[in-house]
């Protein structure tokens, strides 16, 4: 018999494209190929989607894009956000300051082509492009018809790529500070904390990044179970476009606390909910972490005047959960609200009022009866009183893991909340270079078990523009994090809260466990 190596050239090339390396040992090579442990390698491609920011003529939106330095090596690749819906060819999209030079070069190139090519180039021009690692890029728009954005990062720009969309609406029914971390496309999203009530105008924004249409279903669940809807099924989201759906038009039933479930039959979408509440304000409600028996909701501001917990059990069993606040020095149960019973496929809520009582805190939901029924959850948080109220939402979120980033931070008004639900933990917090100047800095924090630590990030020396915050786990148990951004506008402390789950910048790649050889005669 003779042995012949199996031809795997195409497979090796594909593997190398994903992992950055591949190796085979041919028969006759000295030594024996040994199985190797799986390695974690930087991803080489990331996708993010940002919803259409606002329809208000009084709103200003800032986009921030950022990839941490130190992963993937080199500067190869790119990170760009472009309009999901093409803009008219004679209109400009917001762009970085140095894009003017590129415009002149582009005009020279377009002059050589036909008019169709010229229009296409204008329609697909990036709104924002990263120029390097470790330094944010920003862009701004005040257009009421600004589109949703779709984006891709490749090469060394992909690991840890983050983007933030921050809108200031100074007046009107949707006034407020609306912040959202641009999200990766997926096929399944849970949004406890929405509403179909008369005082709320909530929209589900569905954005399709792909070149073929996606089909989505939207289910609504209130305190008594599913809300009847004849129009929430089979929603077509055209290729590279965004569709906003007013939730109250999907059902005839008015409910103050609603859980929204978005799934796709075909394709994938980015999904996020915009919520505007009369006389209270507006903000984005991001998706909860996937259903789990324990959920962590970090970053309740110390001066919160009203906190409402909304939770949902998507399975066939009811859930009984312990409700605990991890405060500055210890973990305790709110008086009168130590447990919450959540009936299967029914939305439950409790009003925790000013539960933090002047100290920062985070909420932990865990099984109360020994069962491990999965739940999803979110908090509606209000600061201020009377005409100076402002609302924000905090969804349950996963730990920062190896690393997590929030992109848009300002010289004033940024606060980082860190909580350790298990063992005491140590994390490294990096404040990046400024978008227009300034030096990065690094500081280490210890978060005691069962507590929440609130810190004001160390401002980069010589800061000009905004900066990014990156949190990395160093030792101990898991840490959950959230960033609160506060901007004073019209005498109101407007605020928004973004959680920091693991950025998924690395992926586990198993090593070959055997010599791939074919034996023949």
């Amino acid at each position: 018999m003779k042995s012949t190596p199996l031809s795997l050239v195409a497979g090796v090339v594909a593997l190398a494209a994903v992992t950055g390396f591949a190796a085979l040992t041919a028969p006759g090579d000295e030594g024996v190929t040994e199985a190797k442990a799986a390695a974690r390698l930087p991803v080489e491609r990331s996708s993010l989607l940002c919803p259409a920011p606002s329809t208000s003529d009084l709103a200003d939106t800032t986009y921030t894009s950022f990839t941490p330095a130190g992963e993937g090596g080199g500067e190869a690749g790119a990170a760009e956000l472009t309009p999901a819906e093409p803009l008219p060819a004679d209109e400009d999209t917001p762009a970085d300051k140095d894009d003017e030079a590129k415009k002149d070069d582009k005009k020279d190139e377009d002059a050589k082509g036909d008019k169709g090519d010229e229009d296409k180039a204008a329609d697909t021009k990036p709104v924002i492009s990263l120029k390097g690692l470790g330094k944010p890029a920003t862009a701004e728009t005040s257009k009421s018809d600004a589109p949703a954005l779709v984006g891709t990062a490749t090469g060394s720009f992909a690991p840890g790529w983050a983007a933030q969309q921050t809108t200031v609406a100074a007046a009107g029914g949707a006034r407020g500070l609306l912040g959202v971390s641009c999200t990766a496309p997926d096929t399944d999203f849970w949004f406890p904390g929405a509403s179909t009530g008369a005082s709320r105008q909530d929209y589900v924004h569905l954005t399709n990044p792909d070149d073929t249409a996606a089909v989505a279903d939207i289910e609504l669940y209130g305190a008594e179970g599913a809300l009847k809807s004849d129009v929430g099924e089979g929603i077509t989201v055209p290729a590279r476009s965004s569709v906003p759906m007013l939730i109250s038009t999907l059902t005839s039933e008015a409910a103050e606390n609603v859980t929204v479930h978005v799934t796709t039959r075909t394709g994938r979408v980015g999904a996020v909910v915009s919520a505007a509440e009369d006389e209270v304000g507006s903000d984005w409600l991001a998706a909860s972490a996937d259903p789990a028996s324990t959920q962590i909701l970090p970053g309740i501001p110390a001066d919160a005047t009203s906190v409402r917990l909304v939770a949902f059990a998507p399975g066939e069993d009811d859930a009984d959960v312990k409700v605990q606040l991890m405060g500055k020095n210890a973990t305790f149960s709110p008086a009168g609200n130590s447990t919450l019973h959540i009936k299967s496929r029914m939305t439950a809520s409790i009003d925790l009022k000013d539960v933090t009582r002047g100290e920062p805190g985070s909420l932990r939901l865990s099984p109360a009866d020994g069962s491990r029924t999965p739940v999803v959850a979110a908090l509606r948080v209000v600061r201020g009183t009377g005409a100076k109220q402002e609302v924000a939402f905090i969804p349950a979120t996963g730990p920062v893991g190896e690393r997590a980033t929030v992109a848009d931070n300002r010289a004033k008004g940024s606060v980082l909340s860190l909580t350790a639900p298990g063992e005491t933990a140590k994390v490294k917090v990096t404040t990046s270079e400024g978008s227009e100047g300034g030096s990065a800095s690094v500081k280490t924090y210890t978060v005691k078990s069962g507590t929440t630590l609130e810190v004001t990030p160390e401002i980069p020396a010589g800061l000009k523009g905004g900066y990014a915050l990156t949190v990395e786990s160093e030792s101990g148990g898991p840490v959950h994090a959230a960033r609160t951004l506060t901007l004073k506008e019209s005498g109101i402390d407007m605020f928004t809260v973004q959680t920091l789950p693991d950025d998924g910048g690395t992926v586990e790649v198993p090593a070959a466990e055997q010599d791939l050889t074919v034996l023949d005669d």
Side-chain angles (χ1 to χ4, degrees), residues 86-103:
L87 295 178
D90 60 349
E91 290 192 19
D92 290 330
T93 55
D96 299 321
K97 292 181 178 179
D98 60 351
D99 276 355
E100 291 303 318
K102 288 187 176 181
K103 283 185 184 179

Side-chain angles (χ1 to χ4, degrees), residues 284-516:
W284 292 100
L285 168 60
S288 167
D290 290 340
S293 59
T294 297
Q295 295 284 16
I296 308 298
L297 301 93
I300 306 172
D303 60 351
T305 53
S306 175
V307 178
R308 182 193 301 158
L309 168 65
V310 183
F312 182 79
E316 297 300 323
D317 299 324
D318 293 358
D320 285 288
V321 298
K322 290 188 292 186
V323 180
Q324 296 174 299
L325 184 76
M326 293 176 284
K328 183 178 180 181
N329 299 305
T331 297
F332 60 92
S333 295
N337 291 304
S338 60
T339 62
L340 176 64
H341 180 69
I342 311 169
K343 294 182 179 180
S344 171
R345 303 178 76 79
M346 298 183 186
T347 299
S349 64
I350 51 175
D351 187 357
L352 300 173
K353 301 180 181 178
D354 55 343
V355 64
T356 56
R357 298 187 181 278
E359 293 186 354
S362 302
L363 215 63
R364 176 171 63 194
L365 306 181
S366 58
D369 57 0
S371 67
R372 301 189 64 82
T373 304
V375 299
V376 292
L379 297 173
R380 170 190 173 272
V381 179
V382 175
R383 295 168 73 187
T385 58
K388 293 188 176 182
Q389 292 183 88
E390 169 70 340
V391 68
F393 298 88
I394 303 174
T397 188
V400 299
E402 291 187 10
R403 184 186 60 190
T405 294
V406 63
D408 183 10
N409 297 277
R410 316 292 174 90
K412 295 181 180 180
S414 292
V415 174
L416 180 65
S417 179
L418 305 166
T419 187
E423 300 175 25
T424 294
K426 182 179 290 186
V427 296
K428 180 174 70 174
V429 177
T430 302
T431 54
S432 76
E433 301 176 37
S435 56
E436 298 176 24
S439 303
S441 64
V442 177
K443 194 167 184 177
T444 299
Y445 297 94
T446 297
V447 189
K448 294 181 180 179
S449 173
T451 69
T452 296
L453 175 66
E454 185 178 271
V455 299
T456 299
E458 190 170 292
I459 305 301
L463 174 66
K464 293 182 180 179
Y467 65 93
L469 271 175
T470 299
V471 181
E472 298 174 83
S473 297
E474 291 211 317
S475 63
V479 170
H480 297 248
R483 187 283 316 270
T484 299
L485 176 64
T486 303
L487 299 177
K488 186 176 285 293
E489 186 73 31
S490 302
I492 301 173
D493 286 330
M494 296 183 176
F495 77 111
T496 183
V497 182
Q498 278 71 57
T499 58
L500 282 78
D502 190 306
D503 63 23
T506 60
V507 62
E508 190 172 271
V509 179
E513 296 185 359
Q514 63 186 37
D515 182 8
L516 300 179

Side-chain angles (χ1 to χ4, degrees), residues 175-201:
R175 68 115 173 102
L177 178 63
L178 299 87
V180 63
S181 296
C182 302
T183 58
D186 207 338
T187 60
D188 196 355
F189 304 85
W190 291 98
F191 299 96
S195 176
T196 60
S199 65
R200 287 271 291 269
Q201 297 81 47

Side-chain angles (χ1 to χ4, degrees), residues 126-196:
V127 168
I128 184 170
S129 301
L130 273 183
K131 303 300 185 293
L133 305 180
K135 181 177 181 178
T138 62
E140 297 179 351
T141 184
S142 58
K143 293 182 178 180
S144 60
D145 60 349
L149 304 182
V150 299
T152 301
T154 58
S156 60
F157 287 90
W161 182 41
Q164 167 88 11
Q165 177 179 289
T166 308
T167 300
V168 178
R175 68 115 173 102
L177 178 63
L178 299 87
V180 63
S181 296
C182 302
T183 58
D186 207 338
T187 60
D188 196 355
F189 304 85
W190 291 98
F191 299 96
S195 176
T196 60

